[in-house]
Amino acid sequence: MLGETDHDGGDSPTATGGAQNGLGFMKRSSSHNFQNSPLKHTWSSSSVKDLTAATPQEFVSKFGGSVVIEKVLIANNGIAAVKCMRSIRRWSYEMFRNERAIKFVVMATPEDLEANAEYIKLADNYILVPGGSNNNNYANVELILDIARRQSVHGVWAGWGHASENPKLPELLSLHGIAFLGPNAGPMHALGDKIASSIVAQTVGVPTLPWSGSHIKLSKEVLESGEKLVISDAMIEEGAVQTPEQGLQAAERIGFPIMIKASGGGGGKGIRKVENREDFVNRFRAVQSEFPGSPIFIMKMATNTRHIEVQIIADKHGNAISLFSRDCSIQRRHQKIIEEAPAVVAEPEVFMEMERAAVALAKAVGYVNAGTVEYLYTSEGFYFLELNPRLQVEHPCTEMVADVNLPALQLQVAMGISLHRIKDIRLLYKEFPYSDTPIDFDNPTIYPQPKGHVIACRITSENPDEGFKPNSGSLSELNFKSSKNVWGYFSVSGSGGVHQFADSQFGHCFAYGDTRYDAMSNMVMALKELSIRGDFSTTVDYLITLLQTDDFIENVFDTNWLDNRIANNVTAAKPALMPALVATATLIADDDIRNNYLHYRSCLERGQVLPPSNLDGYKCVELIHDGVKYKTEVTLLNPSEYFLQMNDSKTVVRYHRLNDGGLLLSLEDNISYTAYMKETVDSYRLQLNNQAITFEKENDPTLLRAPSAGKLVEFLVEEGDHVRAGTPYATIEVMKMLMTLSCHIAGKIKFVKRPGAIISPGMLMAEIEMDSEMCYNQAKTYDGGFEFVHHDTKGTSMKPNEVYKQSMRGLEYVLDGYCLPEPMFSEHYLKLLGKLVKSLRDPTLPLLEMQDILNTMSGRLNAGLDMAIRRELQRYASNLTAAVCQFPANKIVNLIDDFMGSQIKNKSDRDLFIQNTQPLVQVANKFREGLRGNAVAAFTSLFVRYLAVEENFQIYHLEKSVKQMRESDMDVDLVMGHIRAHSQVQRRNQVVIALFDSFAKNFHHLVLKLKAVFTRFTELNQPTNNRVALKARKALISLYQPSYESRKNTLESVFLRVLDSASFIDKVATSELYDLINQDMAI
């Protein structure tokens, strides 16, 4: 299920809360109890009606608002846009009984349209905007204003990222009478700017870490005046550092390690950690390049910290409240990946102080709408980090534990509604929802407290195995299974994708539980059931691993925990190597063989005959994993099996092609796997039973190629420089994130692209003139075999009738051209032939075949007839060891005929009876002449299978033979089957000659019955068929020797003469008998 599921802000599971946090820390039940409230009301339909409205105009009038908002422009894309529309539409239905009462206009780039973005389909209208980076679209304030004016919207929602923290946006909108669903420009500037917010925090007494502006505070007189605090540009400039030299002086004054931060940075950009003075200048310039023109400041880096957030909401009437805390400490590259609410790492009193400080900050600057105050928490206390003047990605965590709908709250606040008039807020404070009595938010009758626990996981298109490298591409499948305690939002659907200019996050999953452990368990199961297939890697497997670590379960991690794991190459759980290797090789070979087949078919339909070698069904696959190269030879064994050989080891893989492009595989370890494979520029990414693993290709290390689509930001070395292996040589921007690329070998570098160039996957950016081939560590070749972990399966050996069917089918596939390379080919067909002959001579074969048919007809055959047939079979089974034992085929057919003649009179009933009993009659007819008759039929069918192909190629030229088949209206797939089989004619000749010899040896007295088939063999006139034609002629010549009856009579007369003699030692008779027995034509 895509998009939002059953849980959004305002909707919550029925489970009760267990975690403690917030102001008061009192248990809150899932139902709202007003017994302790000073206002007690009786619920009635009239009071419910008082809380609803027919239109937004009526709502604003009834609830004391000031701005009517009926149409909203969403200046964002992806998950942000999806979440906003779904949340506000839910509130609209509750309030107006019309989810479309608020109309939404969205901005859409060509890339978003191409990716089939979900938010575009949800909107009431979309406006096409320029593509490329967000400066061209979602972060372009003038463009947003222009669209808002042209579309006559009443409000603009910016969400997070892009222009959401640009004070210019609310400023310009207010000049044109358009509401901004966020803070005003002044408070946004005061608190949204990291330097300004730190100064405000210091002024109102909120603890801050040492930084380059620690000495700056507003005067006591300004603070006590009660006016809104305003931070001047001069104060911001004083807190910033202008040059690397100034920054280094501040860093040494504060003490390493420190953080270099851009005041306008965020989302992991514009921030660098520096542990020594040697690295300072380069990292300072890196921050400058990411946010040109933004003030830069230096801050002490705290260690062993937790990243804690407090959600605040404030209205236009001076009210501000906190909505509990969130713990967002699990981050990579300063970007969150797992969030949870409420935070439980400290005592409740600590979070109480954090929330009070957050509310004080908001009131000090006259903040309006939703915002997030971020702190760093250590065992020594908490420190103000920054205030984000917007909604956060992880806000649904708060929605769940507070039972509120934050986007709907933003809309109502923008309409001028006071917090105490909003239903969600009244319920949060245990006040009667259908009332307008004021609430003393600073000293409420009952302090709110969070309900339960929520864990959130960001689903991103990043590869954890490569340092969370972002990647883009199309999406084939997205299957998320929601439940009452698990829900999620996704910005793409199964037919969409993630483009190179998008945010790498395309999904957000949330799990609720009474306790933190319950929420964690629910999330793990949800992620294990989440199926995502596409051109890009995701973080799903890695998230599952993180959630199950002891550190996470015991809640003993910090903000550096994940980065340390990444640095130590701790990866997600992977599928077992050998099944993954076999699956990848099979998928690569299958893709190649299938493409060859389709290409050949396409050419054949156009009249072009390609060389038959294109249909050989063979592929050699080389894969590298962890510095080891695996070479696997894959051959198509039959339409449902592949034969794999690696060194001296062999295995067979049974496969079934799925409609969605994957393969269902059965391997030697007795486990079935669902496998999907995606080829990239330098690797193959396999998804095996929802676990991912990557195999590398063997690439030229002297060619430095782009790993992903994006932009080349800068080269970190000079052209012509000598670089060592592992030296960072370039920085690229991929999906709003900066990545550093490193060389794999030592040598002299030469640039191919220039900084600023737009790059695509595999594009050549630079070349290296290698010092020596010896300096390159090539992958070591694996010399072992297939090593599977075998799972014990208690099974029985195959029954003779199953062996017969399997060996017949195997020989038929060989004669159809599915031939293994030598020496496996001879071993394969001779083994099949031996099994076939053994099963053909087994007297239980007809008995087992007939019993299988009877079992499948249970309930459809008359009970009396069924019993009669089974009695005949029982008699046959009891006489199997007798010298003469004939299968009762005629008796069974007579029983069926007699029953039909005597019991069934109606024609339609008779037709149905014949149809139902036809399988029984077919088996009986096959064994009318006993085992010998069935053997003749089996060998005849194999011989005819060979002839059916070769008789079409008796014209010398292949092209003419194919043309003749096509002109006879033969199906194109059948023609291709004949071409493939004929291309293996020499190996098929081996099989046919072996069939001749086996039949002559085991069923020599039945050779005459194959006279017609042998005659067809002698008519083959091509050199490729000479061996089998000669073999058939010899067999026919042998037919003209004395007949079986003649030889029988001769032998009988010899025996009689011996018996009639006076003594058994009659030398003449004995000698004559000895000579006869040793003749070739002996019986």
Side-chain angles (χ1 to χ4, degrees), residues 190-491:
L191 290 180
D193 183 276
K194 291 178 172 58
I195 293 178
S197 62
S198 295
I199 295 173
V200 172
Q202 291 172 172
T203 300
V204 299
V206 179
T208 60
L209 288 167
W211 65 291
S212 52
S214 292
H215 59 287
I216 308 172
K217 292 183 182 180
L218 291 168
S219 66
K220 185 177 181 181
E221 292 76 16
V222 172
L223 183 61
E224 293 176 348
S225 67
E227 297 180 0
K228 298 176 182 176
L229 302 184
V230 177
I231 307 301
S232 66
D233 291 340
M235 297 179 75
I236 292 176
E237 186 174 349
E238 184 182 354
V241 293
Q242 311 303 323
T243 65
E245 291 73 24
Q246 288 182 11
L248 187 54
Q249 289 176 6
E252 291 179 332
R253 184 175 66 251
I254 294 168
F256 289 97
I258 54 92
M259 303 296 293
I260 305 173
K261 304 178 76 171
S263 189
K269 294 176 69 175
I271 182 171
R272 289 293 189 280
K273 177 174 73 172
V274 184
E275 298 187 35
N276 54 68
R277 60 177 294 128
E278 289 75 21
D279 296 332
F280 185 89
V281 174
N282 286 337
R283 296 185 184 181
F284 185 91
R285 287 174 178 163
V287 172
Q288 278 184 319
S289 67
E290 289 178 27
F291 280 90
S294 172
I296 294 176
F297 64 103
I298 310 300
M299 177 175 281
K300 178 69 177 177
M301 189 188 82
T303 57
N304 300 320
T305 59
R306 297 289 281 257
H307 182 115
I308 307 297
E309 298 177 347
V310 171
Q311 179 71 58
I312 58 170
I313 184 80
D315 63 22
K316 296 179 180 180
H317 307 279
N319 299 306
I321 62 172
S322 64
L323 296 174
F324 315 122
S325 59
R326 296 189 292 261
D327 192 332
C328 306
S329 302
I330 298 185
Q331 309 173 3
R332 78 279 183 267
R333 294 193 301 264
H334 308 290
Q335 288 190 306
K336 305 160 192 171
I337 189 170
I338 297 176
E339 306 100 354
E340 51 185 307
V344 292
V345 69
E347 293 299 319
E349 292 76 16
V350 175
F351 298 114
M352 184 184 299
E353 288 301 317
M354 287 184 182
E355 293 183 42
R356 285 174 177 160
V359 171
L361 275 171
K363 288 185 174 183
V365 296
Y367 191 88
V368 174
N369 219 284
T372 306
V373 178
E374 298 187 355
Y375 298 100
L376 287 179
Y377 170 76
T378 71
S379 58
E380 299 174 356
F382 65 89
Y383 304 94
F384 173 79
L385 187 61
E386 64 187 40
L387 186 146
N388 290 309
R390 55 175 170 81
L391 210 56
Q392 297 277 79
V393 184
E394 60 274 14
H395 72 272
C397 294
T398 295
E399 289 183 319
M400 201 63 220
V401 297
D403 204 3
V404 298
N405 182 336
L406 280 169
L409 288 182
Q410 286 187 290
L411 176 65
Q412 293 172 83
V413 167
M415 287 177 168
I417 310 298
S418 176
L419 290 179
H420 78 275
R421 299 294 303 272
I422 298 174
K423 176 186 173 183
D424 284 355
I425 302 301
R426 296 193 66 83
L427 289 173
L428 179 66
Y429 281 82
K430 297 295 181 67
E431 296 289 343
F432 192 72
Y434 308 115
S435 176
D436 58 359
T437 56
I439 301 174
D440 183 355
F441 292 114
D442 293 328
N443 297 287
T445 305
I446 299 176
Y447 282 104
Q449 62 128 32
K451 176 169 66 75
H453 199 93
V454 174
I455 291 178
C457 289
R458 300 190 186 193
I459 311 300
T460 61
S461 58
E462 298 173 353
N463 188 348
D465 292 343
E466 299 182 22
F468 285 83
K469 181 186 79 175
N471 49 126
S472 57
S474 61
L475 189 67
S476 304
E477 179 193 33
L478 197 162
N479 185 5
F480 177 70
K481 298 176 182 178
S482 62
S483 68
K484 71 173 185 175
N485 288 328
V486 176
W487 69 103
Y489 306 93
F490 294 89
S491 61

Side-chain angles (χ1 to χ4, degrees), residues 541-554:
D541 290 344
Y542 201 85
L543 289 168
I544 294 172
T545 300
L546 292 180
L547 292 170
Q548 296 181 104
T549 59
D550 292 339
D551 287 348
F552 183 83
I553 294 172
E554 296 169 10

Side-chain angles (χ1 to χ4, degrees), residues 843-858:
T844 64
L845 178 62
L847 174 67
L848 294 170
E849 286 208 31
M850 189 64 75
Q851 286 176 341
D852 282 352
I853 297 296
L854 283 173
N855 293 336
T856 61
M857 296 180 63
S858 177

Side-chain angles (χ1 to χ4, degrees), residues 523-569:
M523 178 59 79
V524 169
M525 286 307 303
L527 293 177
K528 286 187 174 183
E529 293 179 347
L530 173 60
S531 177
I532 300 174
R533 288 190 300 103
D535 295 342
F536 48 83
S537 303
T538 72
T539 52
V540 174
D541 290 344
Y542 201 85
L543 289 168
I544 294 172
T545 300
L546 292 180
L547 292 170
Q548 296 181 104
T549 59
D550 292 339
D551 287 348
F552 183 83
I553 294 172
E554 296 169 10
N555 202 16
V556 290
F557 49 85
D558 60 26
T559 51
N560 291 320
W561 178 72
L562 181 52
D563 283 332
N564 290 335
R565 288 177 63 88
I566 295 171
N568 294 327
N569 294 319

Side-chain angles (χ1 to χ4, degrees), residues 576-586 623 630 632 646 686 695 786:
L577 176 60
M578 203 51 64
L581 176 69
V582 169
T584 305
T586 302
L623 301 170
Y630 302 85
T632 308
M646 183 165 61
L686 175 75
F695 290 95
F786 296 111

